[in-house]
Amino acid sequence: MSLKYALLGMLSIRPMSGYDIKKFFDQSVGLIWNATHSQIYVQLDQMENDGLVEKRSIIQEGRPNKNLHRATDKGFRELQRWLAEPISAPDYKDEFMLRFFFSDFLDRGILKQHLLRVRELMNGRLDSLEKVTNRKVPPMSNITLHAARMGQRYYQMYLDWIEESINLLESGQL
């Protein structure tokens, strides 16, 4: 999967600024795909050059101008083409789990700090998804609501595993 398709999907929903896109990542699809501000802007520039997105500048008084990006017809067709391609097994990367896997080489106090920090981060992500599943933030469609439910289950499972890990660590079993 590529950042290009994540951006095309978002910009097919509605026009967004780079800031809006980053917020969208953080509050919705962060479990399955994420990007930094710099990655987003570099990709948007490339996609604009390729005719997949276009931007419109919004003049703002007292603040910097805002660029709203939207998918072009060509970009929307590219998104549809990609969506129709055969699916492969998910390619999942989790830096924390990679570190945990090798934590035999880490001080147990630092490992506990890492577990506590990841618990805090995962609670934040779970809270964001619960706003969608509890309809405090309206989902875009029944499909996005169902995807949010999957994310909610995933983060809850991850949090349960973290609690188990902390208990095992504190009892000397890790």
Side-chain angles (χ1 to χ4, degrees), residues 58-151:
I58 306 292
I59 308 289
Q60 302 185 111
E61 288 190 35
R63 296 187 307 189
N65 294 341
K66 176 169 45 172
N67 290 319
L68 284 182
H69 305 270
R70 73 166 195 86
T72 61
D73 290 342
K74 179 181 177 182
F76 186 69
R77 286 191 306 274
E78 176 65 13
L79 174 65
Q80 289 180 311
R81 183 201 59 74
W82 174 75
L83 289 170
E85 286 180 355
I87 298 294
S88 59
D91 181 18
Y92 180 71
K93 297 177 184 175
D94 182 333
E95 182 181 349
F96 168 71
M97 286 305 300
L98 182 61
R99 288 181 188 207
F100 185 85
F101 187 86
F102 293 111
S103 287
D104 281 327
F105 306 109
L106 183 63
D107 175 84
R108 293 304 186 252
I110 295 173
L111 176 56
K112 184 174 180 181
Q113 290 173 9
H114 286 339
L115 286 164
L116 294 172
R117 176 67 177 137
V118 170
R119 179 175 67 184
E120 179 184 330
L121 294 169
M122 292 300 182
N123 270 317
R125 290 197 171 174
L126 179 60
D127 289 345
S128 290
L129 287 173
E130 285 178 342
K131 288 177 185 169
V132 175
T133 59
N134 293 332
R135 298 189 183 261
K136 292 179 182 170
V137 173
M140 292 170 278
S141 69
N142 286 334
I143 288 176
T144 58
L145 176 61
H146 195 59
R149 288 181 184 133
M150 186 280 184

Side-chain angles (χ1 to χ4, degrees), residues 32-46:
I32 50 179
W33 200 259
N34 215 331
T36 64
H37 284 285
S38 60
Q39 291 170 320
I40 291 167
Y41 288 112
V42 167
Q43 186 65 58
L44 285 171
D45 286 343
Q46 180 61 51

